[in-house]
């Protein structure tokens, strides 16, 4: 097994021009509110789904989102512009 140092990962991200953004607090709050809505509609998961963090971040930051799961995002984040490959 090859171990990679964090610096190598950071350098690769920089070299590729990838921008890493922190999730805004408003998006974290929206994630919680969305999870409550999900649970009230008989959702069975015990903690917020990763899709809720992604959708909330896209919503608050006004980003478009590429996804194959249109129904979940349309249901919980209808304001997000979705792109379906």
């Amino acid at each position: 097994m090859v171990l990679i140092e964090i610096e190598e990962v950071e350098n690769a991200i920089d070299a590729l021009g990838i921008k890493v953004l922190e999730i805004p607090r408003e998006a974290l709050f929206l994630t919680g509110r969305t999870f409550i809505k999900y649970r009230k509609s008989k959702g069975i998961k015990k903690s917020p789904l990763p899709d809720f963090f992604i959708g909330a971040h896209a919503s608050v930051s006004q980003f478009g989102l590429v996804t194959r799961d249109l129904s979940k995002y349309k249901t919980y984040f209808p304001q997000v512009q979705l792109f379906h490959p």
Side-chain angles (χ1 to χ4, degrees), residues 61-78:
S61 300
Q62 299 180 349
F63 295 147
L65 189 59
V66 177
T67 182
R68 287 200 255 171
D69 188 358
L70 293 175
S71 64
K72 186 182 296 175
Y73 288 107
K74 282 183 181 179
T75 299
Y76 293 106
F77 302 100

Side-chain angles (χ1 to χ4, degrees), residues 12 34 37-38 54 79:
T34 303
K37 180 179 175 182
Y38 162 81
I54 294 165
Q79 66 282 13

